Amino acid sequence: MQTRRDSVSAGHDRWRGGCTIRWVERCRAEVPIDKAIKDNAIFCQSFHDGDLTAPPARHLMVITCMDARINVEAALGLKPGEAHILRNAGGSVTEDVLRSAIISTNLMGTTQIMVINHTRCGMMNSTDNELRRQFTKQYGKAVVAPNSFHTIDDLSLHAREQVAKLRDHPWIPEDTVIRGFTYDVQTGRLHEVKGG
């Protein structure tokens, strides 16, 4: 079971404005959007997935973190068209994730949902109040701001809470299979969360 203190002590670079200083310097040098556009031109030359359907072939939805270390498709053996994959900071079941889960389970044939949180998550490095104070100090008050940043204190508990949000929602079909996991970014291994 990993806690916020464990994650901070694991050697993470401290965030500033949502990313590390080292990351910002690297991105500015590489102009990543321009590179992505060039890579897309190459991708199109061998593209053969135009006939895939929007409903997931495995009837599966995966909710996980946006962390760049997690290759969801490779880790779960997924191919294009086989699953709906929702990603955000921390792999939290936010209002928007709920919206997508309701649509997917009711209109697109999804019958199973995996919630995957992971070790060394950046959302374990701060509290909601710390992030709010940081951004307010840096940018001033915002007219529209997140009600919560969904920071994480206990990894396994957080995964169980996200599963409960889905199971308890009246618009998610009762027979939907919903299971929670943690993912170890150092080994690539999934661990199912007890009670989740």
Side-chain angles (χ1 to χ4, degrees):
M1 176 193 319
Q2 188 177 39
T3 63
R4 178 179 291 120
R5 181 174 299 175
D6 297 328
S7 181
V8 173
S9 65
H12 256 312
D13 291 326
R14 191 69 172 180
W15 286 9
R16 176 178 293 182
C19 55
T20 64
I21 297 300
R22 180 169 42 185
W23 183 89
V24 171
E25 290 172 350
R26 185 166 68 248
C27 286
R28 285 175 177 165
E30 294 177 353
V31 194
I33 294 179
D34 290 342
K35 184 179 186 311
I37 293 171
K38 291 179 181 178
D39 288 343
N40 175 255
I42 298 171
F43 170 76
C44 290
Q45 295 174 9
S46 58
F47 183 73
H48 301 293
D49 293 333
D51 294 331
L52 294 176
T53 59
R58 288 199 192 182
H59 309 286
L60 175 67
M61 169 177 279
V62 180
I63 300 167
T64 193
C65 186
M66 65 185 188
D67 194 299
R69 292 170 292 183
I70 305 173
N71 185 336
V72 179
E73 291 85 351
L76 304 180
L78 296 171
K79 298 177 182 178
E82 291 187 335
H84 286 166
I85 301 174
L86 307 182
R87 304 184 70 158
N88 62 26
S92 295
V93 178
T94 60
E95 180 180 354
D96 192 56
V97 168
L98 272 173
R99 176 182 69 90
S100 296
I102 291 167
I103 294 295
S104 185
T105 54
N106 285 279
L107 303 182
M108 308 195 80
T110 292
T111 59
Q112 300 201 17
I113 301 176
M114 295 179 73
V115 176
I116 305 175
N117 292 168
H118 69 93
T119 59
R120 299 192 175 192
C121 183
M123 298 310 291
M124 300 180 75
N125 291 350
S126 304
T127 66
D128 267 49
N129 287 336
E130 288 172 345
L131 290 176
R132 198 170 300 280
R133 283 196 300 267
Q134 174 186 329
F135 298 142
T136 301
K137 181 179 180 180
Q138 186 171 353
Y139 301 109
K141 291 185 177 180
V143 176
V144 179
N147 291 326
S148 172
F149 287 101
H150 301 279
T151 55
I152 301 170
D153 185 54
D154 181 293
L155 191 63
S156 295
L157 176 61
H158 184 263
R160 286 194 295 271
E161 289 174 343
Q162 307 321 299
V163 169
K165 288 180 186 179
L166 294 163
R167 284 183 178 157
D168 293 345
H169 200 284
W171 292 356
I172 301 287
E174 290 184 5
D175 58 353
T176 303
V177 176
I178 307 171
R179 295 164 63 182
F181 301 82
T182 60
Y183 173 85
D184 190 322
V185 295
Q186 293 182 289
T187 66
R189 188 174 296 279
L190 280 178
H191 301 275
E192 187 153 12
V193 175
K194 293 181 180 180

